[in-house]
Amino acid sequence: MPGIWETHMNFSLRSRTLFKTLAVVLALALPTALAISSADARVGGGMSSGSRGSRTYSAPPSTSTAPGSASQFNRTYTQPGAGMNSAASAPARGGLFGRAGGFMGGLAAGFLGAGLLGMLFGGGLFGGLGGLSSILGLIIQIALVVLVVRLAMSWWQRRHTPQAAYANANAGTGPGPQVNQRSGLGGFGFGANANNAPLEIKPDDYEAFERLLGDIQTAWSNEDVAKLHTLATPEMVSYFEQDLGQNRARGVVNKVTNVKLLQGDLAEAWREGETDYATVALRFTLTDKTLDRNSGTVVAGSEQPGEATEVWTFARRPGSGWELSAIQQTN
């Protein structure tokens, strides 16, 4: 009998050690896995980057192309100004689970971390790590955390991008000329959702936006930083260089091809000093794949075309053409 009990105790000890190891690996890998799944390899890396002048911290109006809200900026050089709408001027913060903010991200991290640590040392949502029920408890706990954080993110975004911010963004500008309405020119079409903007956007401007969508993706795929400098603002090019540098460090290259604009419409257009701004929603198809830099094998993405919807802001100074000033993801 002592031999039998000794064998059982050794098996139980090994099981505990294995379960603890799995829990530690999962605790370390989960944030990384979530971050990877939420980011795309294409231009901008699936993040919201850049500046929209004094409206950087104001949400652009929704459109038929992007009926949801545009996410706050993860990367921007613009600092909140005293003249901005206070309800929409909070700087964007990243968290463990996305863009809900430092508080929500910290809450999620604390909840998940406490549960995992509790399970490591004999406590937690469903007790210690001595049996199958604890692993099921861990999975259930992770699912609950993700659900709670998603709900919190939705509430946080609604609270910090109220509809009043949309109205206040154009307050005091006065009536402006009617935006040219058209259909059949590229992927842009305008009707009831087109805004009366202080700055008139003409058909040639829409053609420039569509052309920039493809040219920027091509220059990105070719890692042609000199070309990107002619297509985007210095701020945006600095982010592109960061992302390209990370790809080189990982030994991969991102290729974006077959870009085709399906639908686009104007969110807002305005002038600040001598700079014109236009924010447009773009829905487009593309083939987005990441290749091993040496072998050329596909390590991420697909040969099949996918679809994306983003909000792009373009800026133009006197004597110059439009440049990409910001990319925002849609919620």
Side-chain angles (χ1 to χ4, degrees):
M1 287 298 293
I4 296 176
W5 282 109
E6 183 178 358
T7 301
H8 175 74
M9 291 176 64
N10 289 337
F11 175 79
S12 177
L13 180 60
R14 287 196 299 269
S15 298
R16 276 182 184 273
T17 302
L18 175 61
F19 289 154
K20 287 183 179 181
T21 302
L22 289 174
V24 170
V25 171
L26 184 58
L28 295 175
L30 180 62
T32 303
L34 290 173
I36 293 173
S37 65
S38 65
D40 297 305
R42 62 181 182 271
V43 167
M47 293 190 288
S48 294
S49 307
S51 300
R52 297 195 327 119
S54 65
R55 302 189 186 188
T56 298
Y57 294 103
S58 296
S62 60
T63 70
S64 59
T65 301
S69 59
S71 63
Q72 297 180 11
F73 286 102
N74 306 107
R75 303 184 291 189
T76 182
Y77 289 169
T78 304
Q79 299 299 317
M84 299 179 191
N85 180 270
S86 59
S89 61
R93 296 187 179 94
L96 175 64
F97 286 88
R99 308 181 185 91
F103 171 73
M104 293 300 174
L107 179 64
F111 181 29
L112 179 61
L116 290 172
L117 290 176
M119 295 181 72
L120 287 173
F121 295 103
L125 188 64
F126 288 89
L129 285 166
L132 179 62
S133 62
S134 59
I135 296 299
L136 295 177
L138 176 61
I139 296 173
I140 294 173
Q141 178 170 279
I142 293 172
L144 289 173
V145 170
V146 172
L147 177 61
V148 169
V149 171
R150 284 184 179 273
L151 293 174
M153 288 172 61
S154 178
W155 170 84
W156 187 271
Q157 289 165 349
R158 287 196 303 270
R159 184 171 181 267
H160 285 75
T161 46
Q163 292 298 321
Y166 296 162
N168 290 338
N170 290 324
T173 58
Q178 175 69 33
V179 174
N180 287 353
Q181 296 187 12
R182 65 201 177 102
S183 61
L185 180 59
F188 288 95
F190 297 87
N193 288 326
N195 295 320
N196 291 335
L199 175 68
E200 183 179 14
I201 300 300
K202 300 178 180 180
D204 289 346
D205 298 320
Y206 294 119
E207 291 177 348
F209 301 155
E210 184 173 357
R211 185 169 57 253
L212 282 168
L213 173 66
D215 290 348
I216 290 172
Q217 303 283 5
T218 300
W220 161 266
S221 297
N222 295 334
E223 299 185 331
D224 190 345
V225 175
K227 181 65 174 179
L228 287 171
H229 272 291
T230 69
L231 304 172
T233 62
E235 177 184 2
M236 287 301 294
V237 175
S238 72
Y239 302 137
F240 295 156
E241 289 185 294
Q242 291 176 22
D243 297 339
L244 290 173
Q246 292 176 1
N247 285 348
R248 285 190 290 270
R250 293 166 49 209
V252 298
V253 58
N254 180 232
K255 295 291 185 180
V256 179
T257 57
N258 303 320
V259 179
K260 181 181 179 181
L261 180 65
L262 301 177
Q263 181 180 349
D265 50 15
L266 180 69
E268 57 184 346
W270 71 101
R271 177 170 293 153
E272 292 182 16
E274 295 185 340
T275 304
D276 297 338
Y277 289 93
T279 296
V280 298
L282 304 171
R283 183 170 66 88
F284 54 95
T285 58
L286 73 168
T287 301
D288 183 359
K289 57 186 178 182
T290 300
L291 310 177
D292 182 271
R293 192 172 289 270
N294 296 320
S295 66
T297 57
V298 177
V299 297
S302 171
E303 298 283 356
Q304 300 300 318
E307 186 174 305
T309 300
E310 297 177 332
V311 176
W312 286 32
T313 296
F314 301 93
R316 178 179 61 187
R317 297 182 181 277
S320 301
W322 290 103
E323 296 179 325
L324 176 65
S325 178
I327 296 177
Q328 289 174 272
Q329 303 305 312
T330 57
N331 299 318

